[in-house]
Amino acid sequence: MQTDHSNENEMKLEFDARSVNEGFARMAVAAFVAELDPTLDEISDIKTAVSEAVTNAIIRGYDSPKEKVEVSCKLCGNCAEITVKDHGHGIENVPKAMEPFFTTKPELERSGMGFAFMEAFMDDVEVHSAPGKGTTVIMKKKIGAGMGV
C-alpha cells in the first residue's frame, strides 16, 4: 500500500549560534507554517516557542557563535512538528532543566522559563539531551485545534 505524502512538507535551516538569528528562525518557521492557515494566536505561539528553543540552543548549548543551530519543520495534515537542535554542551538532568526558573547562566539574567514557555505554547514538547552530545527539542502544534477541527 502506497502512502499519500501530498499533505506533507518539510524544510531545514542551519545558522550560526548568534542571538540575532533567533528572529530569523522564528520568522522562517512562521512563514513555512502559514501554509496550514493558522490563526494569529497559533502563529504567535509557534514563534514564541521557536524563539525560546533557539535561544536555549545558543545560550545553553554553545560558547562560540561559530557553532551551528539546526531548525527543521515538518507539516503533516494540520500538524506542525518543529525541531531545534544543537551539538553543544548538552543537558545533564533534563527534568531539572525543564523546571521553571532553572538556569545554568544566572549571570546573564536568564529567567529559566524557556522550557515552560515551550510547553505552554505547544501541544507537545520532547527534549533529548546528553552531556557533550547536544540537545534536541521537538515541539508539535496542531493547527485549528481550538476551532473544533
Side-chain angles (χ1 to χ4, degrees):
M1 186 163 132
Q2 192 169 6
T3 305
D4 177 20
H5 295 285
S6 62
N7 67 344
E8 291 183 10
N9 198 8
E10 292 185 56
M11 70 90 168
K12 185 175 184 178
L13 303 169
E14 183 179 85
F15 49 85
D16 288 346
R18 297 178 181 274
S19 293
V20 68
N21 288 332
E22 171 270 320
F24 165 69
R26 64 188 265 143
M27 294 306 290
V29 170
F32 188 77
V33 172
E35 165 187 339
L36 299 180
D37 197 24
T39 65
L40 290 177
D41 284 343
E42 289 168 334
I43 282 287
S44 180
D45 290 353
I46 289 168
K47 285 168 58 177
T48 300
V50 168
S51 176
E52 293 296 335
V54 169
T55 298
N56 181 70
I58 292 168
I59 298 293
R60 186 182 291 188
Y62 297 124
D63 296 321
S64 168
K66 294 198 182 290
E67 302 292 345
K68 302 294 184 194
V69 176
E70 298 171 17
V71 176
S72 61
C73 187
K74 180 178 181 180
L75 307 179
C76 186
N78 66 336
C79 186
E81 179 178 297
I82 302 148
T83 302
V84 177
K85 184 175 187 175
D86 68 69
H87 300 280
H89 300 301
I91 301 170
E92 187 172 333
N93 185 337
V94 171
K96 181 72 174 167
M98 292 182 74
E99 290 179 7
F101 305 111
F102 177 83
T103 181
T104 56
K105 298 197 176 181
E107 71 279 7
L108 297 180
E109 298 183 16
R110 309 305 302 177
S111 69
M113 294 298 290
F115 288 123
F117 285 147
M118 289 178 233
E119 290 179 317
F121 291 114
M122 301 299 278
D123 296 327
D124 185 51
V125 176
E126 296 176 30
V127 180
H128 305 280
S129 190
K133 303 283 187 190
T135 301
T136 301
V137 177
I138 303 166
M139 304 176 289
K140 296 178 184 173
K141 180 85 169 172
K142 192 172 189 177
I143 305 301
M147 300 184 306
V149 175

